[in-house]
Amino acid sequence: MTEQAKKSRPIKAIRFQTLPVILAAFVVLAPLSLEAAPRKTKASRPAQAAEATAPRQAGEPIMAIVSIKSQQVTLYDADDWIVRAPVSTGTKGRETPAGVFALVEKKEDHRSNMYDDAHMPHMQRITWNGIAMHGGPLPGYAASHGCVRLPFGFAERIFGKTRMGMRVIISPNDAAPVSIAHPMLFSSQADAVAAAPSRAQTLSREAEDAAKAVDAAKKAVVTTARDAKPVSAALRKFEAAKKRADVELAAAEKALANAKDDAARAKAEERQQKAAAKAAEASAQLEATQADGKAKLDAAAAAKEAVKAAETKKTETAKAARDAKLASVPVSLYVSRATQKLYVRRSTQKPEPDGGERYDYSIEVPIQIRNPEKPIGTHVFTAMARGDNGLRWSAVTIDEADSAKDALDRITIPKDVLDRIAPTALPRSSIIISDEPLSRETNYRTEFVAVLSKQPQGGFITRKPTPKVEVASAREDDYGGPFSWFQQRRAPEPRYDPWGREPRYQPQPQQPQRGWRW
């Protein structure tokens, strides 16, 4: 073929002739490519964690730690881990938030009104906007919409063993509690703990007596006010008469002073004498009425002052009784570097009508943190059990900036707060130190909710926040305090709740149980 003919061949023909060569090269190179980059299959995924039970008699679960990295949950009692199992956390875009939580509601048979009536058996809620642990399918990787799915059988087994308020820690990486001792980790006093129940009973009786005294004082106010009412009416009458007489007397004296002749002067003098007599009579009647009714008026005034004093005593004794009652409940502290504040919370063990429990949040104080501009991390310190020197503590770190010990070194808890909570601190008490502020989901029906801002929160953000309601002021039994923004929050109405929570709530048993069979 001539050079000119080669140049005149169609381009399509040249492509068809070279196609077999390209295919042959692909066949030769394909095995090499497959060997260099093996195809991902189910078999090549990381092995799914297996369920395991500690080879010992288990105690009551104190905390659950979920590892997003390992897709595993581990429950711990006072001594060590009890059980562990695989989980399935939130998928991309709906990630399970890493942070610090606690159980706020439990429901054995739960269905979602957000995800096609999906069955979520043995649901244990950790936020009111819809993050929970529950039984569900586990494909071996993150696949939920933000919840922590547990194996169905495992979810059923632990449901009856966990209690409301149990700490749930969701860590981006593997984490486990380690023993720690530090002067900032307070120790309880055995005599104070032993005396707490009887002291609470005594103060409760005093509070009841003070409330009865208020009622009696209010009844006395009604009685004395009724007795003083005629006196008050008479006084108003004679005070008005005296005022008119005084005005008339002043006018008569003015007329007398302006009289031009003897006739006018005589007439003015007569008028002045009559006015003076009338004014004197009115003054005498007023003074007599005041003297006669003084005892009744003084009794009415004294009754009002007695009510104020009784109400003050009622408030003080009620507060003392509440504090004494809370002394028998584990206490949790949260130190936020973001807000430079210390928050204290304890369950009142008072169930809410639409689910969960009410928490006391009456303590919120500024706190000193050394080098406040430097990150401190997120650390959870838990009193696991009573030890020889008071309480035995553990530490779990899920966001390390400082070490757990260095984080404790940087804070100073006010002495008045320590004096109120430390002497009667019980196992399950905790101190949380974090760079993070409290989440918006923290309210009067939660302990502490704090999420790590540097970790994905898709499954948390996509849910509706707990709606606000305006509350004029906290009721006396609301354990109100300086958390005005807590007082303006409540549980969502059923139509907003992505978990279909019913408005009725049956409180879970609060008595600890030992020696469960897992």
Side-chain angles (χ1 to χ4, degrees):
M1 185 179 292
T2 64
E3 192 67 29
Q4 183 64 30
K6 290 180 180 179
K7 290 181 180 180
S8 63
R9 272 191 311 175
I11 295 176
K12 180 182 282 190
I14 296 174
R15 287 175 179 168
F16 276 116
Q17 287 181 1
T18 57
L19 182 60
V21 177
I22 295 173
L23 291 174
F26 177 77
V27 171
V28 173
L29 295 176
L32 297 177
S33 300
L34 291 173
E35 184 177 355
R39 183 179 178 184
K40 288 188 176 182
T41 63
K42 290 184 179 180
S44 65
R45 290 181 182 139
Q48 188 176 18
E51 291 188 38
T53 303
R56 61 182 177 84
Q57 190 177 32
E60 180 185 7
I62 292 179
M63 72 176 74
I65 301 180
V66 176
S67 169
I68 295 177
K69 176 183 178 181
S70 299
Q71 292 291 285
Q72 179 175 263
V73 62
T74 306
L75 272 66
Y76 295 85
D77 65 5
D79 297 319
D80 203 345
W81 71 276
I82 309 170
V83 288
R84 56 172 53 107
V87 300
S88 185
T89 59
T91 188
K92 186 175 182 181
R94 293 182 178 273
E95 298 89 351
T96 301
V100 182
F101 309 88
L103 296 186
V104 296
E105 185 190 26
K106 298 174 65 175
K107 193 173 181 182
E108 187 171 359
D109 187 19
H110 183 74
R111 290 188 176 274
S112 170
N113 66 357
M114 187 177 184
Y115 299 115
D116 300 324
D117 199 38
H119 191 207
M120 298 176 177
H122 302 101
M123 184 273 295
Q124 303 191 62
R125 186 187 299 275
I126 60 175
T127 73
W128 286 114
N129 73 349
I131 302 295
M133 301 188 300
H134 61 81
L138 271 65
Y141 49 87
S144 79
H145 288 81
C147 283
V148 178
R149 292 185 194 167
L150 309 172
F152 286 106
F154 181 82
E156 181 179 6
R157 278 195 294 150
I158 69 170
F159 185 82
K161 298 177 173 65
T162 60
R163 73 156 82 174
M164 296 284 288
M166 185 190 76
R167 174 76 63 221
V168 178
I169 301 171
I170 300 180
S171 174
N173 300 303
D174 296 340
V178 295
S179 296
I180 187 171
H182 193 278
M184 194 57 64
L185 300 173
F186 44 79
S187 295
S188 58
Q189 300 172 8
D191 54 347
V193 173
S198 60
R199 182 171 183 271
Q201 291 179 358
T202 301
L203 291 174
S204 294
R205 286 194 297 269
E206 291 181 3
E208 292 174 0
D209 293 341
K212 292 177 181 178
V214 169
D215 293 338
K218 288 181 177 179
K219 290 179 181 178
V221 166
V222 173
T223 301
T224 55
R226 183 174 60 247
D227 295 340
K229 186 175 182 180
V231 177
S232 299
L235 285 173
R236 287 194 298 270
K237 175 183 175 181
F238 291 127
E239 285 172 351
K242 184 178 182 303
K243 185 176 182 181
R244 289 193 300 270
D246 290 342
V247 170
E248 186 176 345
L249 177 60
E253 290 175 344
K254 184 177 181 181
L256 179 62
N258 294 331
K260 302 292 185 180
D261 50 36
D262 293 342
R265 186 176 297 105
K267 186 177 180 179
E269 286 179 351
E270 184 181 0
R271 177 186 173 188
Q272 188 268 343
Q273 291 174 358
K274 290 181 178 180
K278 191 174 182 179
E281 182 183 0
S283 180
Q285 289 177 334
L286 178 60
E287 290 176 358
T289 304
Q290 287 176 336
D292 292 341
K294 184 177 184 304
K296 294 180 179 179
L297 294 174
D298 289 346
K304 291 181 180 179
E305 292 299 323
V307 167
K308 292 181 181 179
E311 287 180 337
T312 299
K313 185 175 181 180
K314 176 185 175 182
T315 301
E316 292 174 350
T317 54
K319 181 179 181 301
R322 287 197 299 265
D323 288 345
K325 181 179 179 181
L326 292 173
S328 300
V329 178
V331 60
S332 294
L333 285 69
Y334 188 93
V335 176
S336 170
R337 186 179 70 89
T339 62
Q340 299 286 295
K341 286 187 177 181
L342 166 70
Y343 309 89
V344 180
R345 296 177 85 74
R346 284 181 286 197
S347 172
T348 66
Q349 298 183 332
K350 176 182 177 182
E352 285 292 299
D354 55 354
E357 292 181 345
R358 184 176 293 266
Y359 279 79
D360 167 57
Y361 48 86
S362 56
I363 301 178
E364 172 189 341
V365 294
I367 191 171
Q368 293 182 354
I369 301 178
R370 184 164 50 84
N371 299 327
E373 73 286 349
K374 177 185 174 184
I376 201 168
T378 297
H379 315 272
V380 182
F381 304 90
T382 307
M384 305 299 283
R386 289 190 176 89
D388 296 335
N389 297 320
L391 294 173
R392 175 165 53 83
W393 290 80
S394 72
V396 177
T397 297
I398 61 173
D399 182 20
E400 186 169 358
D402 273 343
S403 67
K405 178 183 179 301
D406 291 340
L408 288 170
D409 288 339
R410 289 175 59 186
I411 69 169
T412 302
I413 299 177
K415 184 177 183 303
D416 60 329
V417 175
L418 281 176
D419 290 343
R420 288 180 63 179
I421 63 178
T424 58
L426 300 173
R428 300 173 65 95
S429 296
S430 62
I431 301 175
I432 303 166
I433 303 175
S434 179
D435 292 312
E436 308 295 344
L438 288 175
S439 165
R440 290 174 55 199
E441 278 300 306
T442 302
N443 57 56
Y444 66 93
R445 296 192 315 135
T446 65
E447 195 216 43
F448 294 122
V449 178
V451 295
L452 302 187
S453 58
K454 296 179 182 179
Q455 297 297 324
Q457 303 172 25
F460 189 81
I461 295 173
T462 55
R463 285 164 165 76
K464 293 181 182 293
T466 303
K468 292 182 179 180
V469 295
E470 296 301 326
V471 179
S473 63
R475 299 190 306 274
E476 186 173 300
D477 61 346
D478 276 346
Y479 295 82
F483 292 135
S484 58
W485 60 289
F486 287 159
Q487 294 172 5
Q488 295 178 354
R489 302 180 70 81
R490 71 174 180 185
E493 297 295 336
R495 63 179 180 273
Y496 294 123
D497 182 11
W499 299 102
R501 189 173 71 259
E502 295 180 2
R504 296 176 300 276
Y505 169 72
Q506 297 297 327
Q508 299 296 322
Q510 296 297 320
Q511 296 299 324
Q513 303 178 39
R514 306 297 295 178
W516 289 314
R517 294 185 180 276
W518 294 83

